[in-house]
Structure formats: structure tokens, C-alpha cells
Amino acid sequence: MREERWPLERDVLFRPDRLKYVRRVIKDEACVFCKTREMGVALESLCLYQSSHSMIILNKFPYNSGHVLVLPQRHVGEMLDLSMEEYTDLHVTLRKAVEAVTKVYSPGGLNLGMNLGAVAGAGIPAHLHYHVVPRWAGDLNFFPLVAETKTVIENLETSFERLLTYLKPALARENERTS
Ligand SMILES: [Zn+2]
């Protein structure tokens, strides 16, 4: 499969413009978020929503039920590398994610955060992403063993269905607008 997509060396030698394509292929192969973008909205990709420049995906390793990621579709690691249009769209989408998580989970609060760069704690520094983590009093205790209650995180399929049901109308409007 990988070989099929790999551009022929001949193409690169005789067509320097293909170099750009080679770099893109390498990035896409390596980046789980880019792969998600290509798969589109589906349980398999955990992608819940796509706008013209951004997307919302369910975190595969949630800190809490309803933990989603909001990110640009383009493979960008630096916020300053986003165009103004991409930046605006990202934050409109972030608002949509906050709305969906709030309506579906009614959390006591939310953590919004972005770790820019590996030294800042980013797990996938090459493709920037916001974390939206719903919070409830007493959850995510630093000492779960001594805590009286332990956070129970619902399974990903359930979270996906609940959030997708909420986001579906907005997604349909978005698709209509961009088609
Ligand atoms: Zn990427």
C-alpha cells in the first residue's frame, strides 16, 4: 500500500515540482491527525466535525468523558503559521466544540488548552491542537486511590454518538455552505 502512494524517484528527478508532493506524502504518512482528516467524519476516525479549515475529533485517550480535540485541517505546528482565515475558522470551531461538550455533558467547568511544541508537552507537536476537557467536581483526582469516587469514563462509541448527534445539524449546514 505504502509503495503505491510513494512517488517514483524518477518523477522527482525530472520534475522538481514533485518534491512538494513527496514532502506532503511523508507528513501525511506520519501524522495521525492528517490521516483522520482524510478519513472524514466517522466512528473509525473519531472525527466528529469538519469545517472548511478545521475539525473536531474525539480524543482516543480521554482524560474525561467528552474530551475532544480541535485542530486545523492543515498540518501546521506553529500557530503563527496559520493564515488569518484558518485561525478564525479554528476558533469558530473551538466555540462549536465547547458548545457541544457543554450541552451534551453539562460539566461543572472546562479546561481549554494547547501545548505548542514538544517542550511544552505536546504529544503531536507537528500538528497543533486544542484540548477541550469537561470537568466535574472531584474528577481527575491526583490521588485516585485515596479518593472516594473514581472517574468513570464512558466508552468512545457512546461519546462519539452523543456528540455527533449534537453536531450533526451544524455539520450539515457546513457541508451545504461549502459544497
Ligand atoms: Zn498532520
Side-chain angles (χ1 to χ4, degrees):
M1 279 294 141
R2 200 187 173 96
E3 285 75 17
E4 270 175 38
R5 289 189 58 199
W6 202 254
L8 295 170
E9 202 175 345
R10 191 183 60 226
D11 286 340
V12 177
L13 281 175
F14 293 102
R15 294 182 51 200
D17 58 303
R18 298 280 289 174
L19 254 179
K20 231 196 256 170
Y21 172 65
V22 176
R23 291 205 187 95
R24 201 179 69 229
V25 168
I26 291 169
K27 273 182 192 165
D28 287 358
E29 288 288 342
C31 179
V32 62
F33 293 149
C34 285
K35 206 173 165 195
T36 300
R37 179 196 61 230
E38 284 165 17
M39 289 168 75
V41 174
L43 176 61
E44 292 69 41
S45 64
L46 294 179
C47 184
L48 287 156
Y49 180 86
Q50 283 188 342
S51 63
S52 43
H53 298 293
S54 317
M55 54 187 172
I56 303 173
I57 62 181
L58 193 61
N59 192 352
K60 200 171 185 177
F61 307 102
Y63 302 157
N64 237 344
S65 302
H67 177 176
V68 299
L69 305 173
V70 180
L71 56 161
Q73 295 205 18
R74 196 158 64 88
H75 187 84
V76 174
E78 304 285 340
M79 185 175 259
L80 298 179
D81 286 346
L82 291 172
S83 70
M84 220 40 212
E85 198 182 326
E86 287 172 320
Y87 180 85
T88 304
D89 186 73
L90 178 67
H91 290 86
V92 169
T93 306
L94 178 66
R95 191 182 195 280
K96 197 147 280 169
V98 168
E99 181 192 305
V101 169
T102 300
K103 298 283 185 192
V104 172
Y105 289 93
S106 308
L110 289 167
N111 285 117
L112 289 190
M114 183 187 276
N115 305 324
L116 284 172
V119 292
I124 303 177
H127 199 144
L128 63 87
H129 51 281
Y130 274 107
H131 289 264
V132 178
V133 187
R135 301 296 307 273
W136 291 270
D139 70 355
L140 306 182
N141 200 291
F142 285 112
F143 305 99
L145 289 175
V146 297
E148 282 182 21
T149 54
K150 196 169 168 291
T151 306
V152 176
I153 299 179
E154 71 186 0
N155 67 52
L156 289 176
E157 285 84 358
T158 306
S159 297
F160 187 85
E161 279 310 317
R162 292 178 71 183
L163 287 167
L164 187 68
T165 301
Y166 185 83
L167 285 165
K168 240 177 202 166
L171 182 65
R173 279 196 302 274
E174 186 64 29
N175 287 340
E176 209 164 276
R177 201 177 60 82
T178 54
S179 67

